[in-house]
Amino acid sequence: MITKDSNPLYCAAETRYENMPYRRCGKSGLRLPALSLGLWQNFGEVDPFCNAQTMLHRAFDLGINHFDLANNYGPPFGSAESTFGKVMTNSLKPYRDEILVSSKAGYDMWPGPYGIGGSRKYLISSCDQSLKRTGLDYFDVFYSHCYDPDTPLEETMQALDYIVRSGRALYVGISSYSPVHTKQAIRILEDLGTPLLIHQPSYNMFDRWIEDGLTDVLLDENVGSIVFSPLAQGLLTNKYLKGIPENSRAARSEQIYLSEDNIGKGKLDKISQLNSLAQQRDQSLAQMAVAWVLSNQAVTSAIIGASKVSQIEDCVAALDNLTFSESELTNINQILES
């Protein structure tokens, strides 16, 4: 760690490791912060660079030393990696050995048959492009971003194995794979000698698909997991307590993952009831949602997104109360099932 070199832009807080819990990731030597910062939204070319840099600095000061990227994060595609690379060059480079950086490839990135999927050609080419955009020598974790039914799973896993053996990444992961394909991936990578470090699925109170088999596989196989969208893209915050705000993500026509059609009165009622329970716990709704995700023993870390520093701080404050009583968990389940 370099701490004595002067840096006019940024000097990391000396207290950065005092309050953040770090959890062992599967059976590896790696420990992840309970919260990681995702750069899916708000770090693209269309977003203010100063705000992105400020959020990255504040996150690191709070002990979040894992930053999650993908080749197509932006918009436009690739620009979140470029933004992160610029911040690394400007101010975070002295701390590179303290920082975990992950990226992924799998979804649509460039035209033609080799710009999407799980082929060896796509994954390795994309990894090389992502390294150039970030200016890094290697990624700490590189993921297959999604299962590709048109490519043999053996080829996809062999590509990940090669990415590690060639020095492009230290560990490999998969994202959004089914329980069956996860188990197959584990066996293939085990035979290749590059163990599967981690799985990255979506998980929140409104999206509990991993409880239907995937968490059992991860626990049985001792594989870590880092979940994304713990706040259901903002639904599990105070933003929607009075309906759909005009400038919210759900109200923006260009957003394809969350729209007004996904948010009926029934869901808004559940959000209100969950908020009342959070208040009884002296937490914001977002803090309770983060704590609930982290209470699952299969979850190593939760990836939070943010558009401003205060949202990062609010999520980190959730770590002050991660314990749920049996009655609270029962109440949450009853609300969600109503």
Side-chain angles (χ1 to χ4, degrees), residues 71-72 77 104-127 129 143-152 155-156 177 257:
N71 58 354
N72 62 348
F77 291 170
K104 318 176 202 69
Y107 288 110
D108 185 28
M109 184 61 189
W110 62 80
Y114 311 126
I116 189 172
S119 71
R120 180 183 180 91
K121 179 172 177 60
Y122 173 55
L123 293 181
I124 295 171
S125 296
S126 186
C127 183
Q129 290 185 22
Y143 291 83
S144 166
H145 204 167
C146 55
Y147 173 72
D148 178 9
D150 297 321
T151 299
E155 179 178 340
T156 301
Y177 276 49
Y257 297 101

Side-chain angles (χ1 to χ4, degrees), residues 107-211:
Y107 288 110
D108 185 28
M109 184 61 189
W110 62 80
Y114 311 126
I116 189 172
S119 71
R120 180 183 180 91
K121 179 172 177 60
Y122 173 55
L123 293 181
I124 295 171
S125 296
S126 186
C127 183
D128 286 343
Q129 290 185 22
S130 293
L131 288 171
K132 288 180 182 178
R133 281 190 291 268
T134 56
L136 299 175
D137 295 324
Y138 67 92
F139 288 116
D140 294 280
V141 186
F142 193 78
Y143 291 83
S144 166
H145 204 167
C146 55
Y147 173 72
D148 178 9
D150 297 321
T151 299
L153 189 57
E154 289 80 4
E155 179 178 340
T156 301
M157 296 304 107
Q158 286 166 1
L160 293 181
D161 173 68
Y162 174 79
I163 284 170
V164 167
R165 293 184 185 278
S166 62
R168 291 168 167 86
L170 302 183
Y171 301 92
V172 298
I174 57 177
S175 178
S176 302
Y177 276 49
S178 71
V180 170
H181 293 134
T182 296
K183 201 157 190 174
Q184 291 173 352
I186 290 169
R187 292 284 83 80
I188 295 168
L189 286 169
E190 188 177 63
D191 289 344
L192 291 169
T194 299
L196 179 65
L197 173 78
I198 194 166
H199 190 298
Q200 185 177 135
S202 61
Y203 184 52
N204 57 65
M205 290 181 181
F206 291 139
D207 180 11
R208 301 175 64 169
W209 74 274
I210 69 170
E211 297 173 4

Side-chain angles (χ1 to χ4, degrees), residues 5 75 100 104 149 168 176 187 252 270 274 294 307 319:
D5 288 357
L100 297 169
K104 318 176 202 69
R168 291 168 167 86
S176 302
R187 292 284 83 80
R252 291 164 56 187
K270 291 178 182 180
L274 290 169
L294 290 173
S307 60
L319 302 176

